[in-house]
Amino acid sequence: MQSRPNDALWIAEKFAEIFAAGTDWVSKGATRLEDLAKLAGVSISTASRALNDSPAVNKRTKQLIWKLAREMDYPFRRYMPAGPIGAEATIAIVTPRPQGRNGGMSDPFFLELLAGVGEAARERDCDVILSHIAPTNFEDLSAAMTTSRAEGVIFLGQSSLHAAFNRLAETENRFVVWGAQLPDQNYCSVGSDNVMGGRRATLHLQRLGRRRIVFLGDTEAPEAMQRHRGYLDALEHAKLGVDPELIVPAHFEVESAESALDSLIHHGVKFDGVVAASDLIALGAIRALKHAGLSVPGDVSVMGFDNVPFSRYASPALSTIAQDTAKAGRLMVSKLLDSGERASRSERVPTDLIIRESCGG
């Protein structure tokens, strides 16, 4: 039995055969669907289905027709599938305008989370597309769903859109949100156990003998708010009391955190520990402490949150709370692609305490 040539070879040979026969009767720039069908030797309906990545058309035929469409300047963009032909599914990634976190895609935690989703999608033979849309309201969220040809959408972040996501869930179930679990939530979210993470970070510093512990970071964005709650729970558990002076707002940026802690030091507020709402914030804290002539961890112990790759290479290496972005990615992808009660249920990913040099033990 003769072996079947691989797809790429078959398409190349078929393509060469078509053009060897001559294509003068097709005028470039005015190619019709009928022309593509005739060139490929298929019906018009098959050509149309192929352009729309229909499962009723085999992979080879789809790839041949797409190659012809590009070569013949066929206006195929409106027919384009959400991703390359042959994928089991396509997932769209949409990032709302952030509340508290740096909006750039270079944010290290965003990149870690994106990698987790990408690897999980690859395991399921799925494509991932990163949308240009940055929703700020319900209408934007709805547009992200209705204009996407993907099987589902992962929103990386809640921002201030909790109510809008609840409204979206009334008519859509093809989405998952990375973020906190909030009261009266009607949509599926995946996120870390932020309360426990904030609690563990604070209690660890307390066990090291730290008594004046700063919470440095945003207290309104959903995830940061929960980390702050964990900090407050730990202070209550350790009977340390809450000093409002030690709750210091800062955005998820090195410069913002550095400036906020500079101001605290300048005003003579005494403290011996810092629980930061992210690793970037923790780095800003360390910079401010060094500029003030304070040693880390000798004078002040510092804890981060996220465990992004650079945290282990900081000087001193940063103690932090790790979020399992690989597991988070797998959960979000499975909740989009699978069915059943568990697929629609929100889940929390455990956090881990990572002890390095910056906390002193």
Side-chain angles (χ1 to χ4, degrees):
M1 182 177 174
Q2 186 176 9
S3 63
R4 183 177 116 174
N6 65 46
D7 289 342
L9 180 59
W10 181 89
I11 292 164
E13 291 175 347
K14 185 70 174 175
F15 195 72
E17 178 184 316
I18 289 169
F19 280 87
T23 58
D24 293 340
W25 54 274
V26 176
S27 176
K28 275 198 170 191
T31 308
R32 302 167 301 167
L33 183 62
E34 294 90 328
D35 300 329
L36 290 181
K38 186 171 183 178
L39 284 170
V42 300
S43 67
I44 294 173
S45 60
T46 296
S48 177
R49 291 190 188 101
L51 288 171
N52 283 281
D53 198 19
S54 168
V57 182
N58 67 59
K59 181 180 176 182
R60 281 183 169 186
T61 301
K62 289 178 187 178
Q63 291 175 327
L64 174 62
I65 290 174
W66 276 102
K67 189 173 178 66
L68 285 168
R70 289 189 176 90
E71 178 64 25
M72 303 308 299
D73 289 341
Y74 181 72
F76 59 84
R77 188 173 179 83
R78 66 181 181 272
Y79 295 100
M80 289 179 72
I85 291 170
E88 292 296 321
T90 300
I91 296 169
I93 304 292
V94 177
T95 55
R97 293 290 182 194
Q99 181 182 356
R101 187 178 281 278
N102 180 2
M105 290 184 181
S106 59
D107 181 302
F109 181 72
F110 172 87
L111 295 176
E112 287 290 293
L113 197 55
L114 191 60
V117 172
E119 288 300 324
R122 178 179 288 176
E123 289 172 6
R124 299 287 296 265
D125 292 326
C126 295
D127 288 318
V128 173
I129 56 174
L130 186 60
S131 174
H132 71 284
I133 298 173
T136 59
N137 52 45
F138 169 76
E139 287 71 24
D140 291 344
L141 295 182
S142 182
M145 297 297 303
T146 58
T147 60
S148 172
R149 299 177 71 176
E151 278 70 20
V153 177
I154 293 176
F155 292 97
L156 290 186
Q158 284 162 308
S159 187
S160 57
L161 296 171
H162 173 60
F165 281 124
N166 268 346
R167 183 179 170 190
L168 187 66
E170 294 174 4
T171 56
E172 281 285 0
N173 61 3
R174 299 179 301 112
F175 72 95
V176 178
V177 178
W178 167 263
Q181 176 117 33
L182 300 173
D184 305 319
Q185 182 168 305
N186 298 324
Y187 55 91
C188 177
S189 70
V190 172
S192 294
D193 189 340
N194 292 292
V195 175
M196 181 56 70
R199 179 183 171 91
R200 291 183 71 182
T202 308
L203 286 178
H204 182 67
L205 295 190
Q206 180 266 328
R207 285 192 293 269
L208 295 175
R210 304 304 184 178
R211 294 293 179 267
R212 299 273 298 166
I213 303 172
V214 169
F215 180 85
L216 184 61
D218 184 63
T219 59
E220 294 182 2
E223 293 177 281
M225 175 183 66
Q226 292 187 340
R227 294 168 196 179
H228 176 242
R229 191 201 312 164
Y231 160 84
L232 295 176
D233 289 349
L235 293 183
E236 182 180 357
H237 177 82
K239 297 181 172 56
L240 292 179
V242 178
D243 183 346
E245 278 195 313
L246 300 182
I247 300 173
V248 182
H251 294 299
F252 283 73
E253 300 166 347
V254 172
E255 295 79 9
S256 174
E258 183 177 358
S259 176
L261 207 61
D262 275 341
S263 179
L264 191 71
I265 295 168
H266 176 74
H267 285 89
V269 178
K270 301 300 181 185
F271 60 95
D272 54 11
V274 174
V275 170
S278 78
D279 288 346
L280 282 177
I281 291 174
L283 285 187
I286 291 173
R287 284 172 59 90
L289 291 166
K290 287 184 175 181
H291 291 162
L294 299 170
S295 68
V296 179
D299 296 315
V300 181
S301 294
V302 177
M303 289 286 306
F305 205 112
D306 284 341
N307 194 35
V308 295
F310 68 69
S311 61
R312 72 191 66 184
Y313 305 116
S315 180
L318 186 61
S319 296
T320 187
I321 299 295
Q323 302 191 75
D324 191 340
T325 51
K327 183 174 183 179
R330 289 193 297 272
L331 278 172
M332 287 189 281
V333 169
S334 68
K335 287 180 181 298
L336 279 186
L337 302 182
D338 300 335
S339 58
E341 181 182 349
R342 182 174 181 182
S344 61
R345 188 173 67 231
S346 295
E347 292 192 48
R348 298 306 97 193
V349 178
T351 54
D352 291 321
L353 176 66
I354 308 295
I355 301 172
R356 299 193 182 106
E357 299 167 358
S358 68
C359 64

